[in-house]
């Protein structure tokens, strides 16, 4: 399931209103929550089966800068950052 959890990190945090607008667009079986500058999504049927479209993102957030990664990738980035920190 880690490949089906996705985080989109924004350069500038969305407003609470934008977050609520986006969360209202997420339909079961998917789940979504905006926390700070991250949109967390769970795609039980995979990202390619998602009902969310690019137009949903822009209707909720307008023009934004962000990057999306799945949980597997985030875990690898975290492990690499810890290794770099240990190496000094």
């Amino acid at each position: 399931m880690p490949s089906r959890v996705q985080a989109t990190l924004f350069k500038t945090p969305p407003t609470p209103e934008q977050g609520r607008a986006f969360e209202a667009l997420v339909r079961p079986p998917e789940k979504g929550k905006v926390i700070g500058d991250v949109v967390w999504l769970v795609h039980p049927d995979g990202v390619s089966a998602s009902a969310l479209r690019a137009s949903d993102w822009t209707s909720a957030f307008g023009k934004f800068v962000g990057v999306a990664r799945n949980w597997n990738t985030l875990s690898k980035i975290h492990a690499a950052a810890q290794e770099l920190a240990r190496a000094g």
Side-chain angles (χ1 to χ4, degrees), residues 14-84:
T15 66
E17 295 79 17
Q18 289 172 317
R20 286 190 294 274
F22 182 78
E23 289 171 5
L25 296 171
V26 179
R27 298 284 178 249
E30 295 181 300
K31 296 179 183 177
K33 183 75 178 164
V34 179
I35 302 172
D37 60 350
V38 180
V39 174
W40 291 96
L41 288 165
V42 178
H43 304 284
D45 299 327
V47 174
S48 63
S50 177
L52 289 168
R53 301 290 172 242
S55 60
D56 296 325
W57 288 80
T58 55
S59 71
F61 300 115
K63 185 177 178 181
F64 67 92
V65 176
V67 62
R69 297 292 182 259
N70 71 28
W71 189 255
N72 288 330
T73 302
L74 292 172
S75 296
K76 290 174 186 176
I77 291 169
H78 183 254
Q82 287 181 317
E83 184 64 31
L84 285 172

